């Protein structure tokens, strides 16, 4: 774990979060500053700074994050209306927390990307 990483602290239970899922390798919790009625963050418990730092042999982790997003969307009742599952990589894409995470966003119409 990275010493001062806020998402590592959430993964270890050292900082509270509104958890919606917890498995051996992943955790999902509500975003503290939601941009849509459903805004969930899905993280690996292991510290990986960005998508660029994910070793190819750990690529299954991102598949598991995507399946978690799909399942949480279904539970949240937005699977049919629509949702977006995205990873911001580095500052130019808006990444502010350097612990790999996927945003699950939905519950309102989403505009085009860009
Ligand atoms: P990003 O800009 O992709 O790095 O996304 C970071 C996200 O983490 C933002 O949407 C923040 O609102 C969210 N966030 C920051 N601190 C917390 C926290 N303690 N609990 C839940 N979400 C957080
Ligand atoms: Zn971390």
């Amino acid at each position: 774990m990275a010493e001062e990483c806020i998402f590592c602290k959430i993964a270890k239970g050292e900082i509270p979060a509104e958890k919606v899922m917890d498995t051996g390798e992943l955790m999902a919790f509500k975003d503290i500053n939601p941009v849509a009625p459903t805004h969930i963050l899905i993280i690996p418990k292991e510290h990986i700074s960005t998508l660029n730092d994910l070793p190819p042999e750990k690529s299954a982790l991102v598949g598991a994050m995507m399946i978690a997003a799909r399942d949480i969307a279904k539970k949240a009742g937005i699977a049919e209306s629509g949702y977006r599952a995205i990873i911001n990589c580095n500052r130019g894409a808006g990444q502010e927390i350097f612990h790999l995470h996927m945003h699950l966003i939905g519950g309102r119409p989403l505009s085009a990307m860009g």
Side-chain angles (χ1 to χ4, degrees), residues 6-7 10 15-18 29-35 39 41 86-90 93-99 101-103:
I6 189 167
F7 285 179
I10 287 175
I15 289 179
E18 277 195 74
F29 51 90
K30 293 187 180 175
D31 195 292
I32 207 168
N33 187 20
V35 299
H39 188 168
L41 300 175
I86 48 168
I87 295 173
N88 295 326
C89 183
N90 277 336
Q95 186 175 6
E96 287 178 355
I97 301 211
F98 285 80
H99 179 127
H101 54 279
M102 183 178 284
H103 295 257

Side-chain angles (χ1 to χ4, degrees), residues 26-61:
L26 301 181
M27 188 181 281
F29 51 90
K30 293 187 180 175
D31 195 292
I32 207 168
N33 187 20
V35 299
T38 297
H39 188 168
I40 305 291
L41 300 175
I42 300 152
I43 65 166
K45 290 184 178 174
E46 178 186 351
H47 183 85
I48 297 166
S49 298
T50 78
L51 187 56
N52 288 342
D53 302 297
L54 182 77
E57 64 271 17
K58 291 187 180 168
S59 61
L61 209 48

